[in-house]
PDB file of all heavy atoms in Angstrom:
ATOM      1  N   ALA A   1      97.193  91.456  96.810  1.00 93.00           N
ATOM      2  CA  ALA A   1      96.781  90.114  97.188  1.00 93.00           C
ATOM      3  C   ALA A   1      96.573  90.059  98.696  1.00 93.00           C
ATOM      4  O   ALA A   1      97.414  90.528  99.466  1.00 93.00           O
ATOM      5  CB  ALA A   1      97.842  89.102  96.772  1.00 93.00           C
ATOM      6  N   THR A   2      95.447  89.498  99.098  1.00 91.00           N
ATOM      7  CA  THR A   2      95.133  89.405 100.522  1.00 91.00           C
ATOM      8  C   THR A   2      95.251  87.955 100.984  1.00 91.00           C
ATOM      9  O   THR A   2      94.965  87.027 100.226  1.00 91.00           O
ATOM     10  CB  THR A   2      93.714  89.904 100.811  1.00 91.00           C
ATOM     11  OG1 THR A   2      92.777  89.023 100.182  1.00 91.00           O
ATOM     12  CG2 THR A   2      93.502  91.295 100.273  1.00 91.00           C
ATOM     13  N   SER A   3      95.703  87.783 102.215  1.00 87.00           N
ATOM     14  CA  SER A   3      95.785  86.447 102.786  1.00 87.00           C
ATOM     15  C   SER A   3      94.410  86.048 103.306  1.00 87.00           C
ATOM     16  O   SER A   3      93.690  86.859 103.867  1.00 87.00           O
ATOM     17  CB  SER A   3      96.792  86.418 103.942  1.00 87.00           C
ATOM     18  OG  SER A   3      96.398  87.311 104.968  1.00 87.00           O
ATOM     19  N   GLY A   4      94.019  84.830 103.043  1.00 75.00           N
ATOM     20  CA  GLY A   4      92.720  84.383 103.490  1.00 75.00           C
ATOM     21  C   GLY A   4      91.605  84.938 102.618  1.00 75.00           C
ATOM     22  O   GLY A   4      91.843  85.549 101.579  1.00 75.00           O
ATOM     23  N   SER A   5      90.395  84.732 103.075  1.00 75.00           N
ATOM     24  CA  SER A   5      89.233  85.107 102.266  1.00 75.00           C
ATOM     25  C   SER A   5      88.443  86.267 102.855  1.00 75.00           C
ATOM     26  O   SER A   5      87.361  86.581 102.384  1.00 75.00           O
ATOM     27  CB  SER A   5      88.311  83.894 102.108  1.00 75.00           C
ATOM     28  OG  SER A   5      87.872  83.449 103.389  1.00 75.00           O
ATOM     29  N   ILE A   6      88.989  86.922 103.882  1.00 74.00           N
ATOM     30  CA  ILE A   6      88.245  88.017 104.501  1.00 74.00           C
ATOM     31  C   ILE A   6      87.985  89.149 103.525  1.00 74.00           C
ATOM     32  O   ILE A   6      86.991  89.870 103.610  1.00 74.00           O
ATOM     33  CB  ILE A   6      88.976  88.550 105.758  1.00 74.00           C
ATOM     34  CG1 ILE A   6      88.090  89.559 106.518  1.00 74.00           C
ATOM     35  CG2 ILE A   6      90.313  89.185 105.381  1.00 74.00           C
ATOM     36  CD1 ILE A   6      88.660  90.023 107.818  1.00 74.00           C
ATOM     37  N   GLY A   7      88.884  89.272 102.534  1.00 70.00           N
ATOM     38  CA  GLY A   7      88.707  90.347 101.569  1.00 70.00           C
ATOM     39  C   GLY A   7      87.398  90.256 100.809  1.00 70.00           C
ATOM     40  O   GLY A   7      86.860  91.261 100.354  1.00 70.00           O
ATOM     41  N   ARG A   8      86.890  89.033 100.690  1.00 74.00           N
ATOM     42  CA  ARG A   8      85.662  88.839  99.922  1.00 74.00           C
ATOM     43  C   ARG A   8      84.457  89.515 100.577  1.00 74.00           C
ATOM     44  O   ARG A   8      83.480  89.833  99.900  1.00 74.00           O
ATOM     45  CB  ARG A   8      85.387  87.341  99.763  1.00 74.00           C
ATOM     46  CG  ARG A   8      86.501  86.585  99.084  1.00 74.00           C
ATOM     47  CD  ARG A   8      86.187  85.111  98.977  1.00 74.00           C
ATOM     48  NE  ARG A   8      87.316  84.351  98.440  1.00 74.00           N
ATOM     49  CZ  ARG A   8      87.300  83.054  98.237  1.00 74.00           C
ATOM     50  NH1 ARG A   8      86.202  82.351  98.512  1.00 74.00           N
ATOM     51  NH2 ARG A   8      88.366  82.440  97.773  1.00 74.00           N
ATOM     52  N   ILE A   9      84.514  89.708 101.881  1.00 79.00           N
ATOM     53  CA  ILE A   9      83.386  90.316 102.584  1.00 79.00           C
ATOM     54  C   ILE A   9      83.721  91.720 103.041  1.00 79.00           C
ATOM     55  O   ILE A   9      83.022  92.289 103.863  1.00 79.00           O
ATOM     56  CB  ILE A   9      82.973  89.461 103.795  1.00 79.00           C
ATOM     57  CG1 ILE A   9      84.135  89.309 104.791  1.00 79.00           C
ATOM     58  CG2 ILE A   9      82.470  88.101 103.341  1.00 79.00           C
ATOM     59  CD1 ILE A   9      83.721  88.655 106.089  1.00 79.00           C
ATOM     60  N   SER A  10      84.785  92.270 102.495  1.00 87.00           N
ATOM     61  CA  SER A  10      85.284  93.567 102.950  1.00 87.00           C
ATOM     62  C   SER A  10      85.261  94.587 101.833  1.00 87.00           C
ATOM     63  O   SER A  10      85.279  94.232 100.650  1.00 87.00           O
ATOM     64  CB  SER A  10      86.722  93.429 103.457  1.00 87.00           C
ATOM     65  OG  SER A  10      86.816  92.434 104.449  1.00 87.00           O
ATOM     66  N   THR A  11      85.257  95.839 102.229  1.00 94.00           N
ATOM     67  CA  THR A  11      85.505  96.909 101.276  1.00 94.00           C
ATOM     68  C   THR A  11      87.016  97.037 101.106  1.00 94.00           C
ATOM     69  O   THR A  11      87.758  97.089 102.083  1.00 94.00           O
ATOM     70  CB  THR A  11      84.917  98.235 101.778  1.00 94.00           C
ATOM     71  OG1 THR A  11      83.493  98.135 101.772  1.00 94.00           O
ATOM     72  CG2 THR A  11      85.335  99.393 100.893  1.00 94.00           C
ATOM     73  N   MET A  12      87.444  97.032  99.885  1.00 95.00           N
ATOM     74  CA  MET A  12      88.858  97.173  99.566  1.00 95.00           C
ATOM     75  C   MET A  12      89.084  98.535  98.927  1.00 95.00           C
ATOM     76  O   MET A  12      88.184  99.063  98.260  1.00 95.00           O
ATOM     77  CB  MET A  12      89.318  96.077  98.606  1.00 95.00           C
ATOM     78  CG  MET A  12      89.081  94.675  99.102  1.00 95.00           C
ATOM     79  SD  MET A  12      90.131  94.249 100.493  1.00 95.00           S
ATOM     80  CE  MET A  12      91.753  94.390  99.779  1.00 95.00           C
ATOM     81  N   GLY A  13      90.272  99.057  99.098  1.00 96.00           N
ATOM     82  CA  GLY A  13      90.522 100.373  98.533  1.00 96.00           C
ATOM     83  C   GLY A  13      91.990 100.614  98.249  1.00 96.00           C
ATOM     84  O   GLY A  13      92.859  99.869  98.709  1.00 96.00           O
ATOM     85  N   TRP A  14      92.217 101.630  97.458  1.00 98.00           N
ATOM     86  CA  TRP A  14      93.569 102.124  97.183  1.00 98.00           C
ATOM     87  C   TRP A  14      93.665 103.564  97.668  1.00 98.00           C
ATOM     88  O   TRP A  14      92.767 104.371  97.424  1.00 98.00           O
ATOM     89  CB  TRP A  14      93.882 102.060  95.692  1.00 98.00           C
ATOM     90  CG  TRP A  14      94.082 100.670  95.189  1.00 98.00           C
ATOM     91  CD1 TRP A  14      93.166  99.867  94.589  1.00 98.00           C
ATOM     92  CD2 TRP A  14      95.297  99.909  95.247  1.00 98.00           C
ATOM     93  NE1 TRP A  14      93.720  98.644  94.271  1.00 98.00           N
ATOM     94  CE2 TRP A  14      95.036  98.656  94.664  1.00 98.00           C
ATOM     95  CE3 TRP A  14      96.579 100.161  95.730  1.00 98.00           C
ATOM     96  CZ2 TRP A  14      95.996  97.656  94.551  1.00 98.00           C
ATOM     97  CZ3 TRP A  14      97.549  99.173  95.616  1.00 98.00           C
ATOM     98  CH2 TRP A  14      97.255  97.944  95.043  1.00 98.00           C
ATOM     99  N   TYR A  15      94.748 103.847  98.357  1.00 98.00           N
ATOM    100  CA  TYR A  15      95.041 105.180  98.852  1.00 98.00           C
ATOM    101  C   TYR A  15      96.438 105.558  98.368  1.00 98.00           C
ATOM    102  O   TYR A  15      97.224 104.685  97.981  1.00 98.00           O
ATOM    103  CB  TYR A  15      95.001 105.192 100.393  1.00 98.00           C
ATOM    104  CG  TYR A  15      93.627 105.012 100.976  1.00 98.00           C
ATOM    105  CD1 TYR A  15      92.959 103.796 100.870  1.00 98.00           C
ATOM    106  CD2 TYR A  15      92.983 106.048 101.623  1.00 98.00           C
ATOM    107  CE1 TYR A  15      91.690 103.618 101.400  1.00 98.00           C
ATOM    108  CE2 TYR A  15      91.708 105.886 102.175  1.00 98.00           C
ATOM    109  CZ  TYR A  15      91.081 104.664 102.045  1.00 98.00           C
ATOM    110  OH  TYR A  15      89.820 104.503 102.572  1.00 98.00           O
ATOM    111  N   ARG A  16      96.741 106.841  98.405  1.00 98.00           N
ATOM    112  CA  ARG A  16      98.076 107.260  98.021  1.00 98.00           C
ATOM    113  C   ARG A  16      98.569 108.374  98.920  1.00 98.00           C
ATOM    114  O   ARG A  16      97.773 109.131  99.490  1.00 98.00           O
ATOM    115  CB  ARG A  16      98.130 107.684  96.545  1.00 98.00           C
ATOM    116  CG  ARG A  16      97.284 108.901  96.181  1.00 98.00           C
ATOM    117  CD  ARG A  16      97.271 109.077  94.669  1.00 98.00           C
ATOM    118  NE  ARG A  16      96.468 110.241  94.257  1.00 98.00           N
ATOM    119  CZ  ARG A  16      96.178 110.523  92.994  1.00 98.00           C
ATOM    120  NH1 ARG A  16      96.617 109.740  92.024  1.00 98.00           N
ATOM    121  NH2 ARG A  16      95.455 111.588  92.716  1.00 98.00           N
ATOM    122  N   GLN A  17      99.883 108.457  99.012  1.00 98.00           N
ATOM    123  CA  GLN A  17     100.499 109.429  99.910  1.00 98.00           C
ATOM    124  C   GLN A  17     101.800 109.936  99.313  1.00 98.00           C
ATOM    125  O   GLN A  17     102.604 109.147  98.808  1.00 98.00           O
ATOM    126  CB  GLN A  17     100.763 108.788 101.270  1.00 98.00           C
ATOM    127  CG  GLN A  17     101.239 109.745 102.341  1.00 98.00           C
ATOM    128  CD  GLN A  17     101.279 109.093 103.709  1.00 98.00           C
ATOM    129  OE1 GLN A  17     101.381 107.875 103.840  1.00 98.00           O
ATOM    130  NE2 GLN A  17     101.169 109.891 104.757  1.00 98.00           N
ATOM    131  N   VAL A  18     101.978 111.246  99.374  1.00 98.00           N
ATOM    132  CA  VAL A  18     103.233 111.873  98.985  1.00 98.00           C
ATOM    133  C   VAL A  18     103.900 112.382 100.256  1.00 98.00           C
ATOM    134  O   VAL A  18     103.222 112.670 101.246  1.00 98.00           O
ATOM    135  CB  VAL A  18     103.042 113.002  97.962  1.00 98.00           C
ATOM    136  CG1 VAL A  18     102.437 112.446  96.675  1.00 98.00           C
ATOM    137  CG2 VAL A  18     102.155 114.104  98.520  1.00 98.00           C
ATOM    138  N   PRO A  19     105.219 112.520 100.255  1.00 95.00           N
ATOM    139  CA  PRO A  19     105.928 112.954 101.472  1.00 95.00           C
ATOM    140  C   PRO A  19     105.379 114.274 102.020  1.00 95.00           C
ATOM    141  O   PRO A  19     105.159 115.223 101.263  1.00 95.00           O
ATOM    142  CB  PRO A  19     107.368 113.096 100.999  1.00 95.00           C
ATOM    143  CG  PRO A  19     107.489 112.146  99.869  1.00 95.00           C
ATOM    144  CD  PRO A  19     106.163 112.189  99.174  1.00 95.00           C
ATOM    145  N   GLY A  20     105.145 114.300 103.306  1.00 96.00           N
ATOM    146  CA  GLY A  20     104.693 115.511 103.958  1.00 96.00           C
ATOM    147  C   GLY A  20     103.199 115.755 103.888  1.00 96.00           C
ATOM    148  O   GLY A  20     102.718 116.766 104.415  1.00 96.00           O
ATOM    149  N   LYS A  21     102.480 114.851 103.250  1.00 97.00           N
ATOM    150  CA  LYS A  21     101.035 115.028 103.125  1.00 97.00           C
ATOM    151  C   LYS A  21     100.304 113.817 103.683  1.00 97.00           C
ATOM    152  O   LYS A  21     100.878 112.758 103.879  1.00 97.00           O
ATOM    153  CB  LYS A  21     100.648 115.267 101.670  1.00 97.00           C
ATOM    154  CG  LYS A  21     101.178 116.582 101.106  1.00 97.00           C
ATOM    155  CD  LYS A  21     100.565 116.895  99.765  1.00 97.00           C
ATOM    156  CE  LYS A  21     101.030 118.246  99.239  1.00 97.00           C
ATOM    157  NZ  LYS A  21     100.398 118.585  97.922  1.00 97.00           N
ATOM    158  N   GLN A  22      99.010 113.979 103.912  1.00 97.00           N
ATOM    159  CA  GLN A  22      98.222 112.883 104.444  1.00 97.00           C
ATOM    160  C   GLN A  22      97.948 111.851 103.372  1.00 97.00           C
ATOM    161  O   GLN A  22      98.089 112.110 102.183  1.00 97.00           O
ATOM    162  CB  GLN A  22      96.899 113.407 105.004  1.00 97.00           C
ATOM    163  CG  GLN A  22      95.949 113.952 103.955  1.00 97.00           C
ATOM    164  CD  GLN A  22      94.645 114.466 104.548  1.00 97.00           C
ATOM    165  OE1 GLN A  22      94.554 114.750 105.732  1.00 97.00           O
ATOM    166  NE2 GLN A  22      93.626 114.579 103.720  1.00 97.00           N
ATOM    167  N   ARG A  23      97.578 110.678 103.821  1.00 97.00           N
ATOM    168  CA  ARG A  23      97.215 109.607 102.908  1.00 97.00           C
ATOM    169  C   ARG A  23      95.783 109.843 102.431  1.00 97.00           C
ATOM    170  O   ARG A  23      94.871 109.993 103.235  1.00 97.00           O
ATOM    171  CB  ARG A  23      97.333 108.265 103.622  1.00 97.00           C
ATOM    172  CG  ARG A  23      97.205 107.055 102.737  1.00 97.00           C
ATOM    173  CD  ARG A  23      97.495 105.789 103.510  1.00 97.00           C
ATOM    174  NE  ARG A  23      98.873 105.769 104.004  1.00 97.00           N
ATOM    175  CZ  ARG A  23      99.405 104.732 104.659  1.00 97.00           C
ATOM    176  NH1 ARG A  23      98.679 103.646 104.893  1.00 97.00           N
ATOM    177  NH2 ARG A  23     100.656 104.790 105.088  1.00 97.00           N
ATOM    178  N   ASP A  24      95.598 109.863 101.125  1.00 98.00           N
ATOM    179  CA  ASP A  24      94.296 110.171 100.545  1.00 98.00           C
ATOM    180  C   ASP A  24      93.688 108.960  99.847  1.00 98.00           C
ATOM    181  O   ASP A  24      94.405 108.166  99.222  1.00 98.00           O
ATOM    182  CB  ASP A  24      94.424 111.318  99.521  1.00 98.00           C
ATOM    183  CG  ASP A  24      94.790 112.640 100.176  1.00 98.00           C
ATOM    184  OD1 ASP A  24      94.333 112.894 101.303  1.00 98.00           O
ATOM    185  OD2 ASP A  24      95.532 113.409  99.536  1.00 98.00           O
ATOM    186  N   ARG A  25      92.383 108.887  99.923  1.00 98.00           N
ATOM    187  CA  ARG A  25      91.666 107.827  99.218  1.00 98.00           C
ATOM    188  C   ARG A  25      91.703 108.058  97.717  1.00 98.00           C
ATOM    189  O   ARG A  25      91.515 109.175  97.245  1.00 98.00           O
ATOM    190  CB  ARG A  25      90.218 107.776  99.700  1.00 98.00           C
ATOM    191  CG  ARG A  25      89.353 106.721  99.020  1.00 98.00           C
ATOM    192  CD  ARG A  25      87.909 106.817  99.553  1.00 98.00           C
ATOM    193  NE  ARG A  25      87.332 108.120  99.245  1.00 98.00           N
ATOM    194  CZ  ARG A  25      86.759 108.435  98.089  1.00 98.00           C
ATOM    195  NH1 ARG A  25      86.699 107.555  97.112  1.00 98.00           N
ATOM    196  NH2 ARG A  25      86.239 109.630  97.904  1.00 98.00           N
ATOM    197  N   VAL A  26      91.924 107.000  96.968  1.00 98.00           N
ATOM    198  CA  VAL A  26      91.898 107.056  95.502  1.00 98.00           C
ATOM    199  C   VAL A  26      90.641 106.379  94.974  1.00 98.00           C
ATOM    200  O   VAL A  26      89.901 106.949  94.172  1.00 98.00           O
ATOM    201  CB  VAL A  26      93.146 106.390  94.905  1.00 98.00           C
ATOM    202  CG1 VAL A  26      93.062 106.349  93.378  1.00 98.00           C
ATOM    203  CG2 VAL A  26      94.414 107.092  95.355  1.00 98.00           C
ATOM    204  N   ALA A  27      90.398 105.153  95.414  1.00 98.00           N
ATOM    205  CA  ALA A  27      89.247 104.389  94.928  1.00 98.00           C
ATOM    206  C   ALA A  27      88.928 103.294  95.927  1.00 98.00           C
ATOM    207  O   ALA A  27      89.825 102.775  96.597  1.00 98.00           O
ATOM    208  CB  ALA A  27      89.551 103.776  93.556  1.00 98.00           C
ATOM    209  N   THR A  28      87.646 102.949  96.004  1.00 97.00           N
ATOM    210  CA  THR A  28      87.207 101.848  96.854  1.00 97.00           C
ATOM    211  C   THR A  28      86.219 100.978  96.099  1.00 97.00           C
ATOM    212  O   THR A  28      85.572 101.434  95.148  1.00 97.00           O
ATOM    213  CB  THR A  28      86.551 102.351  98.148  1.00 97.00           C
ATOM    214  OG1 THR A  28      85.438 103.185  97.827  1.00 97.00           O
ATOM    215  CG2 THR A  28      87.535 103.122  99.019  1.00 97.00           C
TER     216      THR A  28
END
């Protein structure tokens, strides 16, 4: 959930990270 309505004009995405590794893109 995003505060305000800026999300409507933005690209949203999910990323994931495991300990010791970089954060990777999952989906946008």
